[in-house]
Amino acid sequence: MSSPARIRALVVDDSPSNRRSIADILSNASDVEVVGHAADGEEALRLVTQLKPDVVTLDLEMPKMDGFTFLRILMGRSPIPVIVISSYSQKENVFKALELGALDFVAKPDRARDPDLDTLRAAVLAKVMLARGVRSPFAARRVADPPAAAKPGALKSAPAPAAAPAKPAPAKATAGPQHVVAIAASTGGPSALMDVFAKLPKGYRHAVLVVQHMPENFTRTFAERLDRRGGVRVSEGRDFDVVDAGTAFVCPGRQCMEIDTQRGLRLKLRPATDKDRYVPSADALFASVAKAAGPRAVGVVLTGMGDDGVRGAKAIVDAGGIVVAESEETAVVYGMPGAIVRAKLAKKTMPLMELADWLAAL
């Protein structure tokens, strides 16, 4: 049986030393081949056409043509996986790139805090290896675009706001949310979550809790972008935040988020333990939502590698709640939703935009 072909990578960065460092990282992997280097977006577009790489590592700030323009043109022509490599200081730029179709990103470690670059090496290799067998979020989004005419029997979606208006005051804590919606996502998740939150209307009667596998120091900026997206108030979760209708919280990086019911529905953040296979942990969030909300619990599993969420999804189902999963046709990586389906825990599987409409009309 022949071994799979090596992943062909194109390295794009205006810094010669950065290009060398990233190429060295990739060249040390037996199943990755660096087929070219580019110093700006114009050169990168030419090389993509000539070399047909499987994956591109991309710097965003470059002369002539920056990474954003490169992404727009590339995704319009022939979407392929792009991994952004960016510093902690460029959080907003990273999420802009993800919205334009980048698959994922790697945060460059701060040399002052993290002189050991093993973290960067491992992260770059792990993200590049995702290129085998996955699609770009932009390509998945093309599949997800709803047809002009609604399918017979399809759920009628709540109207998505054209722009992010001023958020209404959330419902009083005494009323509580009708449902507690827990959403889990990993690779491809930021773009998927942006699409989901764009659909959630003002006056949403449910609370939303999000576990997105993401480095620390990025989750707050991500929550702020989600907050500007639709009608629900979104913030990075903090201890004792009230879980209420019309509010949403994103779990901070390197922590686990649960619901504490001792004083109503409130958030509890904790460091990871040996029992947490992933951090942040969808299993931990789902299990706590099942315990706190019972039949009012809704688990949603979007695109991502691995199987985080399966154990917690079972707890939701056992408590009388419902679990839904993104379908394979739109998931950038079908690992997490596929694991839910194989475990026979998904009440519904839907393409991303149909799932977003379903949540909006919940």
Side-chain angles (χ1 to χ4, degrees):
M1 183 176 178
S2 61
S3 59
R6 291 196 292 174
I7 295 173
R8 295 165 53 81
L10 173 66
V11 177
V12 183
D13 197 305
D14 67 321
S15 164
S17 62
N18 285 346
R19 290 199 301 273
R20 232 179 356 256
S21 298
I22 296 167
D24 287 346
I25 290 171
L26 298 178
S27 298
N28 286 330
S30 60
D31 38 11
V32 180
E33 176 187 5
V34 178
V35 296
H37 311 77
D40 61 70
E42 289 183 2
E43 184 181 9
L45 286 173
R46 289 196 298 271
L47 291 180
V48 165
T49 302
Q50 294 171 12
L51 303 175
K52 302 196 178 336
D54 301 309
V55 63
V56 174
T57 67
L58 180 67
D59 181 29
L60 294 174
E61 296 184 355
M62 298 180 294
K64 293 185 180 178
M65 180 186 290
D66 63 19
F68 304 115
T69 306
F70 167 79
L71 274 170
R72 288 190 188 96
I73 297 174
L74 178 70
M75 295 304 159
R77 290 180 180 175
S78 54
I80 60 174
V82 174
I83 309 298
V84 171
I85 301 181
S86 179
S87 67
Y88 282 107
S89 62
Q90 294 180 316
K91 302 183 194 67
E92 284 287 347
N93 287 347
V94 164
F95 292 114
K96 180 179 177 183
L98 292 176
E99 290 174 31
L100 290 172
L103 172 66
D104 211 332
F105 70 95
V106 175
K108 295 178 185 177
D110 186 333
R111 291 176 184 270
R113 296 182 306 152
D114 188 4
D116 183 1
L117 296 183
D118 286 344
T119 302
L120 176 62
R121 294 188 184 97
V124 170
L125 283 175
K127 304 296 185 184
V128 166
M129 294 304 295
L130 291 176
R132 179 173 284 138
V134 307
R135 71 183 90 190
S136 76
F138 190 88
R141 201 174 295 131
R142 283 177 172 173
V143 176
D145 286 340
K151 296 179 181 178
L155 283 170
K156 185 177 181 181
S157 64
K167 301 294 189 296
K172 293 182 179 180
T174 52
Q178 184 174 346
H179 291 90
V180 179
V181 180
I183 305 178
S186 185
T187 305
S191 296
L193 285 162
M194 293 291 284
D195 288 337
V196 167
F197 273 81
K199 292 280 189 174
L200 301 184
K202 293 188 293 182
Y204 199 55
R205 294 176 295 173
H206 319 293
V208 184
L209 306 178
V210 175
V211 160
Q212 165 66 53
H213 296 161
M214 185 179 288
E216 62 178 333
N217 300 324
F218 281 84
T219 45
R220 177 174 296 179
T221 303
F222 181 52
E224 291 169 354
R225 290 189 78 87
L226 291 179
D227 182 65
R228 298 194 293 268
R229 195 69 171 177
V232 173
R233 290 178 178 269
V234 189
S235 59
E236 186 182 50
R238 299 172 301 177
D239 268 325
F240 309 118
D241 277 339
V242 176
V243 178
D244 206 354
T247 60
F249 299 101
V250 176
C251 181
R254 292 186 113 178
Q255 296 189 64
C256 292
M257 184 169 71
E258 299 175 346
I259 291 183
D260 185 351
T261 58
Q262 292 184 355
R263 290 188 293 169
L265 295 179
R266 292 182 179 269
L267 291 186
K268 178 178 71 174
L269 300 180
R270 63 168 177 81
T273 69
D274 293 340
K275 294 181 179 180
D276 297 310
R277 297 174 303 142
Y278 302 90
V279 183
S281 171
D283 280 326
L285 175 63
F286 281 15
S288 75
V289 169
K291 184 177 180 181
R296 297 183 296 123
V298 177
V300 180
V301 182
L302 303 178
T303 172
M305 291 288 289
D307 63 352
D308 191 18
V310 171
R311 295 177 185 175
K314 185 177 186 308
I316 289 177
V317 171
D318 289 345
I322 185 173
V323 174
V324 299
E326 183 179 358
S327 63
E328 188 172 8
E329 66 188 281
T330 60
V332 175
V333 182
Y334 193 55
M336 286 169 57
I340 296 292
V341 172
R342 288 191 298 273
K344 302 187 185 307
L345 295 169
K347 181 74 172 178
K348 297 174 179 289
T349 60
M350 293 170 276
L352 179 63
M353 298 312 293
E354 185 180 330
L355 192 156
D357 285 340
W358 182 85
L359 281 174
L362 185 66

